[in-house]
Amino acid sequence: PILSRDGQHLLYLTGGEEEGLFDLWVYDIPRGSSERVDEGLPAYERSPGLGLEGAGVGSTPFQTDEGFGYWVTRGGFHEIRLAHTDGPSELLWTFRAEEGRPPPFAIHGRRVAFTQCDVQAGECSLFLGMASEVIVAEKGGIRQLTPQTP
């Protein structure tokens, strides 16, 4: 579990309907009630840090000003998601699940930043987008990118 920055909400997992899958909940401490924000998630894989390598059901969820950030792999895609404290989770970005985890990323509100590297070419790219709409993609200059969607 993880507490929100204001200490008023708690993000936690419970066993889901299917064996080995979990549901993600936000508990509203002042109201004393919980709301499911996502379901059917695989088990945690713990990772150090506060989410720069991603978070959530691929690793530990992390706090944002708007709720909790995390990532999960479903249907051949890594999903970067924001679990709001007052409603269902929001899909911010997707990556094809060609590797075991998405690239290193950060989120702020609906803004997503991530890096992707081409080891053979010896170069990395920095991307900055707004919930599935790229603002800046930089690799020796600025170029536009269309996000991958399931």
Side-chain angles (χ1 to χ4, degrees):
I2 185 170
L3 283 163
S4 62
R5 288 189 177 158
D6 65 5
Q8 301 297 302
H9 299 89
L10 178 73
L11 182 78
Y12 66 99
L13 282 177
T14 63
E17 292 182 19
E18 293 184 44
E19 186 176 333
L21 297 180
F22 297 85
D23 292 345
L24 192 63
W25 296 80
V26 172
Y27 180 70
D28 186 312
I29 296 169
R31 288 193 295 177
S33 62
S34 291
E35 182 171 347
R36 183 171 44 205
V37 296
D38 208 341
E39 58 189 304
L41 306 174
Y44 278 99
E45 172 190 310
R46 301 247 178 232
S47 73
L50 291 175
L52 293 180
E53 286 293 328
V57 200
S59 61
T60 308
F62 57 96
Q63 302 168 337
T64 72
D65 289 339
E66 298 76 21
F68 305 94
Y70 67 101
W71 66 267
V72 62
T73 302
R74 286 191 270 222
F77 287 86
H78 298 303
E79 300 176 359
I80 296 176
R81 302 190 70 90
L82 176 63
H84 297 280
T85 57
D86 60 354
S89 68
E90 177 181 5
L91 176 63
L92 299 179
W93 203 268
T94 61
F95 301 91
R96 291 197 188 285
E98 296 166 350
E99 297 183 13
R101 59 180 52 235
F105 71 89
I107 64 174
H108 183 269
R110 299 182 75 233
R111 183 173 290 160
V112 179
F114 61 94
T115 56
Q116 287 186 314
C117 295
D118 181 342
V119 176
Q120 292 178 337
E123 59 186 21
C124 291
S125 299
L126 170 65
F127 300 91
L128 175 62
M130 187 70 94
S132 298
E133 177 184 326
V134 168
I135 299 168
V136 175
E138 186 172 314
K139 179 178 175 181
I142 296 175
R143 63 187 175 94
Q144 294 299 312
L145 173 79
T146 304
Q148 301 166 355
T149 56

